[in-house]
Each structure stands twice: as structure tokens, then as C-alpha cells.
Amino acid sequence: MLLLDKETFEAEVLKAEGTVLVDYFGDGCEPCKALLPHIESFSEKYGDKIKFTKLNTTGARRLAISQKILGLPVIAIYKGGEKVEELIKDDATPENIEAMIQKYI
């Protein structure tokens, strides 16, 4: 998984070829920490079909707000630089994340 920051987000997500998953997380977000092993597992399983990235919103608040990230965790799918789907807070379960991934592979 590629760790993004405000300098790399545009090139790696908004200007990327293909499909990109972004795991928006924060330092103090316990649900985010609980999802991480699942996201890493999906990255290993589907990483040849989707680019897996993560962004720590603690250090990139303005970027997160510009992407309409208002709560955590958020798992989003981007295609052609546009956010096409996202799972927010309680909807961001391992089962829902994998189902969302499978729609875009």
C-alpha cells in the first residue's frame, strides 16, 4: 500500500490510470486501525487490479476536506480522477469493502 500525502495525492489518485482505493484514516481513529489488516489483505489479494493507497488525514486536513471527507473511517474508490464510490464510518466493514472492490476489478 502506498502512503499518500498532500504532495503525492494528485499524481497518485487524481491523475492515476485505472482504479485507485484510498483508505482515509486518522492517528486516533480506532475503527481505522481495526480495518487496516483487512485493507492490507485486500491489497495483497487485489493489488494487481487496483492501486491501494492510504492517507493520514491528521496531517492533511485541508486535502481531506477538499475530498469531502468529514468523518472516519472512509474507504473510497477513484476512477479517472473522480471519486465513484465510498464507504463511510459504520458502512466501512471488511465485507462491504471487499464487495465494493469486486465491483471495480
Side-chain angles (χ1 to χ4, degrees):
M1 277 182 62
L2 178 64
L3 180 60
L4 302 169
D5 58 30
K6 48 193 167 192
E7 285 77 35
T8 60
F9 186 86
E10 183 175 352
E12 297 293 343
V13 178
L14 302 180
K15 293 185 176 178
E17 296 286 325
T19 305
V20 182
L21 179 143
V22 180
D23 172 12
Y24 290 95
F25 71 99
D27 290 336
C29 175
E30 292 303 320
C32 299
K33 292 176 187 173
L35 282 177
L36 185 58
H38 300 284
I39 304 279
E40 289 174 342
S41 173
F42 298 146
S43 175
E44 291 173 15
K45 187 173 180 180
Y46 303 109
D48 59 331
K49 298 175 180 86
I50 294 178
K51 181 194 292 187
F52 282 77
T53 66
K54 58 185 179 177
L55 177 74
N56 186 341
T57 61
T58 303
R61 290 188 194 282
R62 287 187 182 181
L63 175 56
I65 291 168
S66 78
Q67 294 300 305
K68 297 178 176 58
I69 306 303
L70 304 176
L72 296 175
V74 172
I75 309 299
I77 297 280
Y78 289 77
K79 285 187 76 125
E82 298 292 323
K83 189 185 327 176
V84 294
E85 191 169 348
E86 67 184 357
L87 296 169
I88 303 169
K89 296 187 178 187
D90 292 342
D91 289 334
T93 65
E95 297 79 19
N96 288 346
I97 294 167
E98 187 163 26
M100 182 174 71
I101 290 168
Q102 289 184 352
K103 284 197 257 182
Y104 295 97
I105 58 172

XYZ file of all heavy atoms in Angstrom:
821
model
N 0.845 -1.187 0.000
C 0.000 0.000 0.000
C 0.878 1.233 0.000
O 1.862 1.293 0.718
C -0.904 0.025 1.234
C -2.140 -0.800 1.075
S -3.247 -0.759 2.491
C -3.691 0.927 2.591
N 0.467 2.189 -0.784
C 1.214 3.426 -0.917
C 0.672 4.460 0.069
O -0.526 4.740 0.066
C 1.077 3.941 -2.352
C 1.743 5.261 -2.684
C 3.254 5.154 -2.540
C 1.380 5.670 -4.102
N 1.551 5.001 0.910
C 1.156 6.055 1.845
C 1.213 7.385 1.119
O 2.260 7.789 0.616
C 2.075 6.064 3.073
C 1.763 7.125 4.131
C 0.347 6.940 4.688
C 2.782 7.065 5.253
N 0.072 8.046 1.046
C -0.042 9.325 0.353
C 0.179 10.484 1.305
O 0.039 10.344 2.519
C -1.446 9.472 -0.247
C -1.894 8.401 -1.225
C -3.370 8.548 -1.516
C -1.076 8.489 -2.497
N 0.482 11.646 0.724
C 0.479 12.902 1.472
C -0.054 13.965 0.514
O -0.401 13.670 -0.630
C 1.858 13.249 2.035
C 2.934 13.365 0.970
O 2.623 13.735 -0.178
O 4.101 13.089 1.288
N -0.110 15.209 0.988
C -0.703 16.249 0.142
C 0.101 16.510 -1.120
O -0.441 16.978 -2.116
C -0.960 17.530 0.935
C 0.176 18.013 1.777
C -0.294 19.089 2.742
C 0.787 19.326 3.773
N 0.372 20.102 4.888
N 1.386 16.173 -1.121
C 2.213 16.357 -2.314
C 1.997 15.247 -3.350
O 2.170 15.475 -4.540
C 3.701 16.429 -1.950
C 4.132 17.740 -1.318
C 3.732 17.864 0.148
O 3.737 16.835 0.868
O 3.392 18.983 0.572
N 1.651 14.039 -2.919
C 1.547 12.909 -3.847
C 0.109 12.547 -4.229
O -0.098 11.798 -5.176
C 2.228 11.664 -3.244
O 1.580 11.329 -2.007
C 3.713 11.901 -3.029
N -0.865 13.082 -3.506
C -2.264 12.695 -3.722
C -2.714 12.927 -5.160
O -3.304 12.047 -5.784
C -3.183 13.442 -2.749
C -4.612 12.985 -2.803
C -5.032 11.903 -2.054
C -5.534 13.625 -3.615
C -6.347 11.462 -2.106
C -6.851 13.202 -3.679
C -7.252 12.120 -2.919
N -2.445 14.095 -5.698
C -2.918 14.419 -7.041
C -2.367 13.441 -8.083
O -3.111 12.870 -8.880
C -2.553 15.851 -7.426
C -3.101 16.245 -8.787
C -2.853 17.702 -9.138
O -2.387 18.485 -8.290
O -3.140 18.045 -10.286
N -1.053 13.220 -8.069
C -0.435 12.342 -9.059
C -0.868 10.889 -8.881
O -1.128 10.184 -9.864
C 1.090 12.443 -8.981
N -0.943 10.427 -7.649
C -1.205 9.009 -7.390
C -2.687 8.638 -7.428
O -3.028 7.465 -7.604
C -0.613 8.598 -6.035
C 0.894 8.711 -5.965
C 1.624 7.729 -6.871
O 1.016 6.734 -7.332
O 2.816 7.948 -7.133
N -3.572 9.628 -7.248
C -5.010 9.338 -7.206
C -5.754 10.072 -8.325
O -6.381 9.455 -9.174
C -5.619 9.706 -5.832
C -7.124 9.453 -5.809
C -4.937 8.925 -4.714
N -5.663 11.381 -8.330
C -6.465 12.174 -9.260
C -5.995 12.074 -10.709
O -6.788 12.224 -11.627
C -6.498 13.637 -8.814
C -7.056 13.874 -7.407
C -7.046 15.354 -7.080
C -8.453 13.283 -7.253
N -4.705 11.811 -10.917
C -4.176 11.688 -12.282
C -3.760 10.260 -12.608
O -3.103 10.023 -13.614
C -2.992 12.637 -12.468
C -3.414 14.096 -12.421
C -2.280 15.019 -12.723
C -2.784 16.460 -12.755
N -1.703 17.410 -13.007
N -4.159 9.326 -11.779
C -3.748 7.928 -11.962
C -4.542 7.252 -13.068
O -5.709 7.562 -13.288
C -3.939 7.161 -10.651
N -3.886 6.331 -13.731
C -4.558 5.446 -14.675
C -5.227 4.336 -13.859
O -4.690 3.878 -12.870
C -3.533 4.817 -15.618
C -2.811 5.808 -16.496
C -3.692 6.350 -17.614
O -4.526 5.591 -18.128
O -3.538 7.541 -17.937
N -6.382 3.903 -14.287
C -7.025 2.775 -13.616
C -7.754 3.168 -12.346
O -8.070 4.328 -12.111
N -7.978 2.167 -11.533
C -8.776 2.302 -10.315
C -7.860 2.421 -9.104
O -6.882 1.696 -8.989
C -9.693 1.075 -10.160
O -10.475 0.941 -11.348
C -10.618 1.220 -8.972
N -8.224 3.340 -8.207
C -7.434 3.577 -7.001
C -8.355 3.512 -5.787
O -9.412 4.145 -5.765
C -6.758 4.963 -7.035
C -5.900 5.179 -5.786
C -5.923 5.134 -8.298
N -7.961 2.742 -4.775
C -8.653 2.723 -3.497
C -7.862 3.601 -2.542
O -6.638 3.470 -2.459
C -8.750 1.301 -2.948
C -9.438 1.157 -1.594
C -10.255 -0.129 -1.556
C -8.455 1.183 -0.439
N -8.561 4.488 -1.848
C -7.921 5.325 -0.833
C -8.542 5.003 0.522
O -9.760 5.090 0.693
C -8.070 6.830 -1.129
C -7.376 7.652 -0.041
C -7.508 7.185 -2.498
N -7.696 4.630 1.454
C -8.088 4.407 2.844
C -7.772 5.697 3.590
O -6.611 6.009 3.842
C -7.296 3.229 3.412
C -7.498 3.031 4.907
O -8.400 3.639 5.498
O -6.710 2.251 5.493
N -8.812 6.480 3.904
C -8.639 7.706 4.691
C -8.681 7.316 6.159
O -9.650 6.701 6.611
C -9.770 8.689 4.398
C -9.732 9.293 3.017
C -10.464 8.741 1.979
C -8.976 10.423 2.765
C -10.444 9.301 0.704
C -8.945 10.996 1.499
C -9.680 10.432 0.480
O -9.658 10.990 -0.778
N -7.616 7.650 6.891
C -7.543 7.275 8.295
C -6.973 8.432 9.112
O -6.462 9.402 8.554
C -6.694 6.014 8.488
C -5.220 6.219 8.263
C -4.370 6.407 9.336
C -4.683 6.225 6.978
C -3.003 6.605 9.140
C -3.332 6.418 6.768
C -2.494 6.617 7.853
N -7.067 8.298 10.422
C -6.506 9.298 11.325
C -5.758 8.622 12.449
O -6.026 7.460 12.781
N -4.836 9.360 13.046
C -3.990 8.798 14.109
C -4.793 8.225 15.271
O -4.473 7.183 15.798
C -3.018 9.861 14.639
C -1.944 10.211 13.623
O -1.645 9.385 12.741
O -1.404 11.326 13.718
N -5.853 8.900 15.675
C -6.616 8.467 16.852
C -7.858 7.669 16.529
O -8.677 7.431 17.409
N -8.002 7.222 15.296
C -9.219 6.532 14.859
C -9.090 5.022 15.092
O -8.420 4.328 14.334
C -9.473 6.847 13.385
S -10.851 5.943 12.666
N -9.727 4.533 16.137
C -9.655 3.102 16.453
C -10.312 2.228 15.383
O -9.753 1.194 15.019
C -10.249 2.822 17.836
C -9.424 3.396 18.985
C -7.983 2.895 19.009
O -7.739 1.697 18.753
O -7.079 3.715 19.281
N -11.486 2.618 14.848
C -12.050 1.798 13.760
C -11.125 1.731 12.540
O -11.071 0.705 11.857
C -13.363 2.509 13.413
C -13.733 3.255 14.654
C -12.420 3.664 15.270
N -10.390 2.810 12.282
C -9.430 2.814 11.167
C -8.337 1.780 11.417
O -7.962 1.031 10.507
C -8.792 4.193 11.006
S -9.937 5.529 10.640
N -7.841 1.742 12.643
C -6.788 0.786 12.995
C -7.300 -0.648 12.876
O -6.558 -1.545 12.459
C -6.283 1.050 14.414
C -5.522 2.357 14.542
C -5.128 2.621 15.983
C -4.516 4.010 16.129
N -4.270 4.361 17.526
N -8.567 -0.861 13.242
C -9.142 -2.207 13.158
C -9.298 -2.665 11.709
O -9.182 -3.854 11.412
C -10.489 -2.237 13.876
N -9.541 -1.727 10.791
C -9.709 -2.076 9.375
C -8.386 -2.335 8.660
O -8.361 -3.040 7.650
C -10.438 -0.948 8.633
C -11.932 -0.861 8.800
C -12.471 0.347 8.060
C -12.611 -2.137 8.306
N -7.304 -1.767 9.152
C -6.028 -1.821 8.447
C -5.597 -3.233 8.044
O -5.220 -3.445 6.885
C -4.931 -1.114 9.241
C -3.581 -1.016 8.532
C -3.710 -0.290 7.196
C -2.572 -0.322 9.429
N -5.651 -4.233 8.927
C -5.226 -5.575 8.489
C -6.076 -6.109 7.334
O -5.570 -6.799 6.450
C -5.401 -6.445 9.734
C -5.495 -5.506 10.879
C -5.983 -4.201 10.350
N -7.359 -5.773 7.315
C -8.245 -6.212 6.234
C -7.869 -5.527 4.922
O -7.812 -6.169 3.878
C -9.710 -5.931 6.582
C -10.164 -6.634 7.810
N -10.455 -7.989 7.840
C -10.376 -6.182 9.077
C -10.824 -8.337 9.055
N -10.779 -7.253 9.826
N -7.616 -4.219 4.995
C -7.239 -3.459 3.799
C -5.918 -3.999 3.251
O -5.764 -4.173 2.033
C -7.097 -1.955 4.117
C -8.371 -1.407 4.733
C -6.683 -1.177 2.880
C -9.461 -1.052 3.792
N -4.969 -4.270 4.131
C -3.687 -4.824 3.688
C -3.874 -6.190 3.029
O -3.234 -6.493 2.025
C -2.711 -4.893 4.853
C -2.228 -3.524 5.276
C -1.369 -3.529 6.531
O -1.398 -4.530 7.287
O -0.684 -2.521 6.766
N -4.770 -7.003 3.576
C -5.067 -8.307 2.988
C -5.688 -8.141 1.599
O -5.321 -8.853 0.647
C -6.019 -9.084 3.909
O -6.447 -10.262 3.295
N -6.618 -7.197 1.457
C -7.224 -6.934 0.143
C -6.177 -6.421 -0.841
O -6.227 -6.733 -2.022
C -8.375 -5.936 0.254
C -9.535 -6.410 1.110
C -10.251 -5.519 1.870
C -9.899 -7.753 1.142
C -11.312 -5.936 2.655
C -10.956 -8.193 1.923
C -11.679 -7.280 2.687
N -5.234 -5.643 -0.341
C -4.167 -5.124 -1.185
C -3.340 -6.267 -1.761
O -2.980 -6.259 -2.942
C -3.277 -4.166 -0.387
O -2.189 -3.739 -1.148
N -3.053 -7.254 -0.926
C -2.302 -8.421 -1.398
C -3.123 -9.237 -2.392
O -2.601 -9.727 -3.383
C -1.898 -9.298 -0.214
C -0.849 -8.652 0.680
C -0.583 -9.445 1.949
O -0.982 -10.626 2.019
O 0.007 -8.862 2.873
N -4.421 -9.345 -2.137
C -5.301 -10.177 -2.956
C -5.650 -9.516 -4.301
O -5.715 -10.193 -5.326
C -6.587 -10.457 -2.161
C -7.537 -11.435 -2.789
C -8.667 -11.739 -1.818
C -9.664 -12.725 -2.387
N -10.755 -13.010 -1.433
N -5.893 -8.195 -4.284
C -6.381 -7.494 -5.478
C -5.419 -6.423 -5.998
O -5.765 -5.684 -6.913
C -7.731 -6.819 -5.179
C -8.805 -7.753 -4.705
C -9.253 -7.728 -3.392
C -9.397 -8.668 -5.582
C -10.255 -8.578 -2.949
C -10.395 -9.523 -5.150
C -10.829 -9.473 -3.837
O -11.817 -10.317 -3.409
N -4.237 -6.348 -5.428
C -3.301 -5.281 -5.766
C -2.831 -5.259 -7.208
O -2.343 -4.241 -7.680
N -3.010 -6.351 -7.929
C -2.644 -6.360 -9.343
C -3.741 -5.746 -10.218
O -3.518 -5.473 -11.395
C -2.327 -7.783 -9.810
C -3.495 -8.742 -9.636
O -4.315 -8.532 -8.710
O -3.593 -9.705 -10.417
N -4.920 -5.485 -9.634
C -6.040 -4.940 -10.393
C -6.425 -3.526 -9.965
O -7.001 -2.772 -10.745
C -7.254 -5.855 -10.250
C -7.019 -7.253 -10.814
C -8.199 -8.151 -10.546
C -7.984 -9.530 -11.100
N -7.287 -10.422 -10.215
N -6.148 -3.188 -8.713
C -6.487 -1.880 -8.141
C -5.269 -1.371 -7.377
O -4.619 -2.141 -6.666
C -7.693 -1.976 -7.178
C -8.964 -2.353 -7.947
C -7.910 -0.681 -6.422
C -10.193 -2.509 -7.076
N -4.995 -0.076 -7.508
C -3.918 0.533 -6.711
C -4.475 0.827 -5.310
O -5.501 1.486 -5.166
C -3.441 1.832 -7.351
C -2.298 2.481 -6.567
C -2.028 3.912 -6.959
C -1.464 4.056 -8.332
N -1.065 5.458 -8.618
N -3.802 0.340 -4.281
C -4.216 0.558 -2.904
C -3.347 1.638 -2.273
O -2.114 1.542 -2.295
C -4.094 -0.742 -2.095
C -5.216 -1.701 -2.357
C -5.249 -2.461 -3.513
C -6.256 -1.825 -1.454
C -6.289 -3.343 -3.771
C -7.301 -2.703 -1.689
C -7.319 -3.466 -2.858
N -4.010 2.658 -1.720
C -3.302 3.763 -1.092
C -3.972 4.101 0.233
O -5.094 3.662 0.502
C -3.324 5.018 -1.996
O -4.665 5.490 -2.116
C -2.749 4.727 -3.378
N -3.276 4.887 1.034
C -3.878 5.367 2.283
C -3.390 6.779 2.540
O -2.280 7.155 2.150
C -3.574 4.437 3.449
C -2.108 4.201 3.740
C -1.952 3.165 4.837
C -0.490 2.891 5.118
N -0.325 1.944 6.212
N -4.248 7.566 3.188
C -3.934 8.952 3.500
C -4.262 9.226 4.956
O -5.402 9.019 5.389
C -4.743 9.907 2.610
C -4.537 11.388 2.922
C -3.164 11.853 2.431
C -5.632 12.233 2.315
N -3.254 9.673 5.698
C -3.450 10.063 7.091
C -4.032 11.472 7.102
O -3.332 12.441 6.802
C -2.129 10.005 7.858
C -2.314 10.264 9.330
O -3.321 10.810 9.766
N -1.332 9.860 10.121
N -5.298 11.582 7.431
C -5.977 12.879 7.397
C -5.533 13.802 8.520
O -5.766 15.004 8.446
C -7.506 12.701 7.457
O -7.852 12.044 8.676
C -7.999 11.896 6.273
N -4.875 13.258 9.534
C -4.393 14.088 10.642
C -3.428 15.150 10.124
O -3.471 16.293 10.566
C -3.715 13.217 11.721
O -4.653 12.224 12.158
C -3.273 14.053 12.905
N -2.589 14.790 9.168
C -1.629 15.736 8.621
C -2.051 16.348 7.301
O -1.283 17.064 6.680
N -3.277 16.047 6.871
C -3.737 16.543 5.566
C -5.222 16.921 5.648
O -6.028 16.507 4.831
C -3.504 15.484 4.499
N -5.548 17.725 6.640
C -6.957 18.072 6.877
C -7.596 18.793 5.687
O -8.709 18.477 5.289
C -7.098 18.927 8.128
C -6.834 18.154 9.403
C -7.172 18.999 10.628
N -6.632 18.437 11.843
C -7.181 17.411 12.486
N -8.256 16.845 12.019
N -6.644 16.953 13.596
N -6.898 19.769 5.128
C -7.476 20.522 4.005
C -7.713 19.626 2.800
O -8.727 19.753 2.117
C -6.589 21.699 3.629
C -6.657 22.804 4.641
C -5.919 24.017 4.181
N -5.998 25.030 5.232
C -5.484 26.210 5.139
N -4.812 26.558 4.051
N -5.604 27.073 6.126
N -6.779 18.737 2.541
C -6.937 17.796 1.443
C -8.157 16.900 1.689
O -8.974 16.688 0.791
C -5.677 16.955 1.266
C -5.742 15.841 0.234
C -6.123 16.358 -1.139
C -4.413 15.107 0.185
N -8.272 16.392 2.911
C -9.412 15.535 3.249
C -10.730 16.292 3.068
O -11.675 15.769 2.474
C -9.276 15.014 4.678
N -10.780 17.520 3.533
C -12.000 18.319 3.388
C -12.297 18.577 1.914
O -13.452 18.516 1.485
C -11.894 19.629 4.194
C -11.910 19.301 5.697
C -13.011 20.603 3.837
C -11.531 20.456 6.595
N -11.260 18.817 1.116
C -11.471 19.044 -0.319
C -12.062 17.810 -1.001
O -12.736 17.927 -2.024
C -10.170 19.461 -1.010
O -9.328 18.344 -1.227
N -11.838 16.645 -0.423
C -12.393 15.397 -0.950
C -13.694 15.017 -0.241
O -14.174 13.899 -0.378
C -11.360 14.276 -0.835
C -10.135 14.481 -1.703
C -10.506 14.568 -3.171
O -11.160 13.674 -3.709
N -10.111 15.654 -3.823
N -14.222 15.958 0.559
C -15.488 15.774 1.296
C -15.417 14.622 2.304
O -16.385 13.889 2.496
C -16.650 15.611 0.322
C -16.855 16.840 -0.537
C -17.977 16.659 -1.520
C -18.265 17.894 -2.321
N -17.194 18.458 -3.101
N -14.255 14.492 2.929
C -14.073 13.505 3.992
C -14.345 14.225 5.301
O -13.552 15.053 5.744
C -12.647 12.914 3.977
C -12.302 12.348 2.606
C -12.483 11.875 5.080
C -13.244 11.282 2.083
N -15.487 13.924 5.912
C -15.906 14.652 7.109
C -15.898 13.789 8.362
O -16.043 14.304 9.462
C -17.300 15.251 6.882
C -17.397 16.156 5.652
C -18.835 16.613 5.453
C -16.458 17.342 5.769
N -15.749 12.486 8.210
C -15.662 11.567 9.339
C -14.826 10.376 8.921
O -14.563 10.180 7.739
N -14.405 9.603 9.883
C -13.547 8.447 9.602
C -14.130 7.195 10.230
O -14.841 7.296 11.221
C -12.139 8.692 10.152
C -11.350 9.835 9.526
C -10.044 10.028 10.258
C -11.112 9.607 8.055
N -13.803 6.042 9.703
C -13.008 5.789 8.507
C -13.820 6.004 7.232
O -15.044 5.933 7.241
C -12.613 4.321 8.644
C -13.713 3.700 9.437
C -14.190 4.794 10.373
N -13.097 6.258 6.145
C -13.679 6.335 4.806
C -12.779 5.531 3.867
O -11.569 5.709 3.864
C -13.790 7.793 4.296
C -14.224 7.819 2.831
C -14.740 8.609 5.148
N -13.405 4.661 3.098
C -12.721 3.904 2.060
C -13.356 4.347 0.744
O -14.568 4.200 0.567
C -12.890 2.376 2.240
C -12.533 1.932 3.667
C -12.091 1.626 1.192
C -11.123 2.192 4.090
N -12.558 4.911 -0.147
C -13.090 5.463 -1.392
C -12.431 4.826 -2.608
O -11.251 4.472 -2.563
C -12.881 6.975 -1.420
N -13.207 4.734 -3.673
C -12.719 4.252 -4.959
C -12.727 5.426 -5.937
O -13.735 6.135 -6.053
C -13.600 3.118 -5.527
C -13.578 1.901 -4.618
C -13.193 2.767 -6.953
C -12.378 1.006 -4.742
N -11.601 5.613 -6.634
C -11.461 6.654 -7.657
C -11.196 5.989 -8.994
O -10.434 5.021 -9.079
C -10.283 7.572 -7.337
C -10.497 8.481 -6.156
C -10.402 8.007 -4.858
C -10.782 9.830 -6.336
C -10.596 8.842 -3.770
C -10.972 10.682 -5.253
C -10.875 10.178 -3.974
O -11.071 11.017 -2.904
N -11.816 6.524 -10.032
C -11.555 6.112 -11.419
C -11.480 7.387 -12.239
O -12.355 8.238 -12.134
C -12.678 5.230 -11.964
C -12.634 3.811 -11.417
C -13.640 2.933 -12.102
C -13.135 2.572 -13.452
N -13.045 1.174 -13.766
N -10.436 7.499 -13.039
C -10.291 8.688 -13.870
C -10.242 9.982 -13.082
O -10.691 11.018 -13.548
N -9.710 9.921 -11.870
C -9.580 11.113 -11.039
C -10.829 11.517 -10.290
O -10.828 12.497 -9.544
N -11.914 10.772 -10.450
C -13.173 11.084 -9.781
C -13.499 10.019 -8.744
O -13.330 8.822 -8.997
C -14.317 11.144 -10.801
C -14.162 12.208 -11.860
C -14.272 13.613 -11.310
O -15.091 13.835 -10.395
O -13.532 14.490 -11.792
N -14.013 10.462 -7.606
C -14.480 9.515 -6.600
C -15.794 8.919 -7.102
O -16.734 9.645 -7.381
C -14.692 10.212 -5.260
C -14.972 9.256 -4.135
C -15.319 9.885 -2.803
C -14.678 11.180 -2.480
N -15.138 11.755 -1.210
N -15.824 7.606 -7.257
C -17.009 6.950 -7.796
C -17.820 6.214 -6.734
O -19.002 5.941 -6.949
C -16.661 5.992 -8.955
C -16.126 6.767 -10.146
C -15.672 4.920 -8.527
N -17.197 5.913 -5.610
C -17.914 5.234 -4.534
C -17.111 5.367 -3.248
O -15.883 5.459 -3.273
C -18.129 3.751 -4.868
C -19.079 3.059 -3.931
C -19.514 1.679 -4.407
O -19.264 1.323 -5.576
O -20.101 0.959 -3.596
N -17.827 5.367 -2.122
C -17.137 5.392 -0.831
C -17.985 4.713 0.220
O -19.210 4.650 0.111
C -16.795 6.830 -0.409
C -17.975 7.702 -0.102
C -17.609 9.141 0.222
O -16.420 9.481 0.265
O -18.535 9.922 0.444
N -17.285 4.189 1.204
C -17.913 3.620 2.392
C -17.488 4.479 3.572
O -16.299 4.749 3.744
C -17.481 2.172 2.590
C -17.911 1.196 1.495
C -17.206 -0.130 1.664
C -19.420 1.009 1.526
N -18.466 4.885 4.372
C -18.213 5.832 5.455
C -18.583 5.203 6.790
O -19.625 4.557 6.916
C -19.041 7.119 5.246
C -18.713 7.744 3.895
C -18.819 8.106 6.380
C -19.661 8.849 3.482
N -17.715 5.424 7.777
C -17.934 5.028 9.172
C -18.426 3.593 9.295
O -17.735 2.662 8.913
C -18.853 6.028 9.864
C -18.239 7.412 9.968
C -19.098 8.319 10.806
C -18.437 9.673 10.933
N -19.114 10.530 11.851
N -19.644 3.381 9.825
C -20.133 2.030 10.100
C -20.326 1.173 8.862
O -20.362 -0.053 8.951
C -21.457 2.099 10.880
C -21.278 2.648 12.285
O -20.134 2.651 12.794
O -22.279 3.081 12.888
N -20.461 1.802 7.690
C -20.596 1.033 6.451
C -19.260 0.470 5.976
O -19.239 -0.399 5.099
C -21.200 1.897 5.341
C -22.667 2.201 5.593
O -23.338 1.406 6.278
O -23.140 3.244 5.102
N -18.166 0.957 6.520
C -16.828 0.513 6.119
C -16.453 -0.765 6.876
O -15.572 -0.779 7.720
C -15.801 1.614 6.355
N -17.162 -1.835 6.549
C -16.864 -3.141 7.135
C -16.013 -3.934 6.140
O -16.051 -3.652 4.936
C -18.160 -3.931 7.411
O -18.800 -4.216 6.158
C -19.103 -3.162 8.335
N -15.268 -4.915 6.611
C -14.471 -5.725 5.673
C -15.322 -6.334 4.551
O -14.903 -6.343 3.394
C -13.852 -6.806 6.561
C -13.760 -6.156 7.910
C -14.979 -5.279 8.008
N -16.516 -6.799 4.884
C -17.387 -7.406 3.876
C -17.808 -6.381 2.828
O -17.776 -6.667 1.618
C -18.635 -8.013 4.543
C -18.350 -9.139 5.508
C -17.851 -8.684 6.887
O -18.035 -7.501 7.264
O -17.252 -9.518 7.591
N -18.202 -5.186 3.267
C -18.624 -4.144 2.328
C -17.457 -3.645 1.481
O -17.624 -3.342 0.306
C -19.269 -2.969 3.069
C -20.638 -3.305 3.623
O -21.240 -4.317 3.263
N -21.131 -2.461 4.512
N -16.292 -3.551 2.094
C -15.106 -3.097 1.358
C -14.773 -4.092 0.245
O -14.542 -3.699 -0.895
C -13.904 -2.886 2.303
C -14.192 -1.731 3.272
C -12.622 -2.631 1.498
C -13.234 -1.644 4.434
N -14.773 -5.379 0.583
C -14.448 -6.374 -0.440
C -15.498 -6.384 -1.548
O -15.165 -6.486 -2.732
C -14.291 -7.768 0.164
C -13.795 -8.768 -0.863
C -13.240 -10.037 -0.265
O -13.649 -10.408 0.856
O -12.404 -10.661 -0.929
N -16.771 -6.232 -1.202
C -17.827 -6.183 -2.215
C -17.633 -4.972 -3.127
O -17.809 -5.068 -4.349
C -19.199 -6.144 -1.549
N -17.254 -3.839 -2.551
C -17.020 -2.645 -3.350
C -15.826 -2.863 -4.280
O -15.886 -2.517 -5.465
C -16.767 -1.435 -2.441
C -16.569 -0.126 -3.185
S -16.444 1.320 -2.105
C -14.839 1.061 -1.346
N -14.754 -3.429 -3.770
C -13.570 -3.714 -4.587
C -13.949 -4.599 -5.772
O -13.545 -4.340 -6.909
C -12.465 -4.381 -3.744
C -11.868 -3.383 -2.752
C -11.376 -4.988 -4.633
C -10.989 -4.012 -1.686
N -14.737 -5.618 -5.517
C -15.071 -6.579 -6.567
C -15.887 -5.937 -7.697
O -15.847 -6.422 -8.824
C -15.779 -7.787 -5.983
C -14.814 -8.636 -5.174
C -15.420 -9.900 -4.632
O -16.615 -10.122 -4.716
N -14.579 -10.742 -4.059
N -16.569 -4.846 -7.417
C -17.313 -4.150 -8.471
C -16.376 -3.470 -9.466
O -16.774 -3.191 -10.594
C -18.213 -3.063 -7.863
C -19.454 -3.599 -7.192
C -20.447 -2.489 -7.005
C -20.463 -2.032 -5.572
N -21.440 -0.979 -5.334
N -15.141 -3.183 -9.043
C -14.231 -2.384 -9.861
C -13.022 -3.155 -10.392
O -12.141 -2.559 -10.985
C -13.782 -1.151 -9.074
C -14.955 -0.243 -8.791
C -15.616 -0.287 -7.579
C -15.418 0.638 -9.760
C -16.712 0.511 -7.333
C -16.506 1.446 -9.521
C -17.155 1.382 -8.294
O -18.247 2.179 -8.065
N -12.989 -4.470 -10.172
C -11.849 -5.231 -10.699
C -12.201 -5.850 -12.048
O -13.326 -5.944 -12.424
C -11.339 -6.297 -9.720
C -12.443 -7.273 -9.353
C -10.753 -5.658 -8.503
C -11.949 -8.448 -8.548
